[in-house]
Amino acid sequence: MGSKTYKPRQFDLSNLKGISDETLEMHFKLYEGYVKETNKLNEKIAEFVQDAKVDQDEFAEYSELTRRLGFEYNGMVLHEYYFDNLMTGGGIGDPNNQSTFRQAAQESFGSYDIWKADFVGIGKMRGVGWAICYENPSNGALSNHWITLHETGNVAGFNPVLVMDVWEHAFILDYKPADRPKYIEAFFSNIDWNEVERRLQKQKARPIAA
Ligand SMILES: [Fe+2]
């Protein structure tokens, strides 16, 4: 448990290509729900433990609330990464040839196109969840992962670099469920690569002369 109260962030995000403002407004509201639930869970758990013990008759409820923390916290945090890696007015599509992300993808996958085929492939996987490209902060390697719901599949200590929501609520007002590939295409046309590259820790740590 934790005692911090989280405040929902406001995102200056609109006018995307292929993802409507209506979708974004609905999505911001959903995100605020995760922040609210995270705070509520923390408060309730704090009540259980404030006498410095967990009573046996409270244990079932205490356990269930604690299990839900992973869902709500990740639901909150992943949406923040997602909105932050999109760009108002739309982006440039794939990163340019000088891009540090493109270089990192080449080093880890052989080419940017292979990295992208893997990331997009994960995004099309059947199920409810997220496609996330992580950086291993110890060696700078990128790897793509499927996250079921919000919490199953996150890699401890890895740094989320590019985060794509593929829950149907992310696109259902704009695309049919079977048209998830079109949403993924739209997602790519709106990526803020500068934000993605700011997240690369290895890049930050690398000495200028190296
Ligand atoms: Fe979402």
Side-chain angles (χ1 to χ4, degrees):
M1 62 135 305
S3 57
K4 183 174 171 19
T5 302
Y6 293 90
K7 285 197 184 72
R9 284 182 46 204
Q10 300 299 313
F11 296 93
D12 183 18
L13 189 61
S14 60
N15 205 20
L16 299 180
K17 298 174 189 161
I19 299 173
S20 63
D21 287 351
E22 201 187 358
T23 291
L24 287 174
E25 286 309 316
M26 186 192 70
H27 216 162
F28 294 147
K29 285 272 174 298
L30 277 170
Y31 153 73
E32 285 171 18
Y34 287 107
V35 179
K36 218 170 109 191
E37 288 303 314
T38 297
N39 289 333
K40 219 196 274 177
L41 281 178
N42 277 331
E43 277 169 32
K44 283 187 181 165
I45 292 166
E47 283 170 24
F48 277 115
V49 296
Q50 68 180 353
D51 56 357
K53 59 183 169 58
V54 181
D55 296 328
Q56 201 52 41
D57 64 343
E58 296 171 337
F59 214 79
E61 198 180 344
Y62 167 81
S63 300
E64 178 53 26
L65 294 174
T66 300
R67 280 186 224 284
R68 281 165 49 190
L69 275 179
F71 179 80
E72 302 293 352
Y73 262 96
N74 280 294
M76 170 175 74
V77 170
L78 289 182
H79 279 105
E80 292 177 356
Y81 276 102
Y82 172 75
F83 295 134
D84 278 341
N85 63 211
L86 292 172
M87 196 173 172
T88 285
I92 56 166
D94 295 318
N96 62 36
N97 287 336
Q98 287 75 44
S99 147
T100 50
F101 179 85
R102 188 180 273 273
Q103 282 168 22
Q106 273 164 9
E107 282 169 24
S108 297
F109 284 80
S111 77
Y112 170 80
D113 289 343
I114 295 171
W115 168 83
K116 186 175 178 179
D118 185 46
F119 187 85
V120 169
I122 290 170
K124 291 177 183 171
M125 279 169 59
R126 294 171 69 78
V128 179
W130 299 74
I132 302 184
C133 174
Y134 287 94
E135 176 195 42
N136 178 343
S138 70
N139 60 11
L142 300 185
S143 53
N144 297 321
H145 298 261
W146 167 259
I147 311 305
T148 299
L149 299 176
H150 302 307
E151 73 275 39
T152 307
N154 289 293
V155 187
F158 274 28
N159 173 29
V161 177
L162 180 65
V163 173
M164 178 168 69
D165 193 341
V166 289
W167 283 54
E168 282 175 4
H169 67 238
F171 59 86
I172 199 71
L173 297 180
D174 303 321
Y175 304 97
K176 295 189 182 101
D179 284 337
R180 201 199 281 187
K182 288 185 187 163
Y183 158 72
I184 294 173
E185 221 171 279
F187 172 83
F188 263 82
S189 67
N190 292 296
I191 294 172
D192 183 347
W193 290 107
N194 287 329
E195 171 62 22
V196 171
E197 289 171 9
R198 272 195 292 274
R199 293 173 181 169
L200 289 172
Q201 295 177 8
K202 189 76 177 170
Q203 213 59 41
K204 280 179 230 158
R206 201 169 283 169
I208 289 165

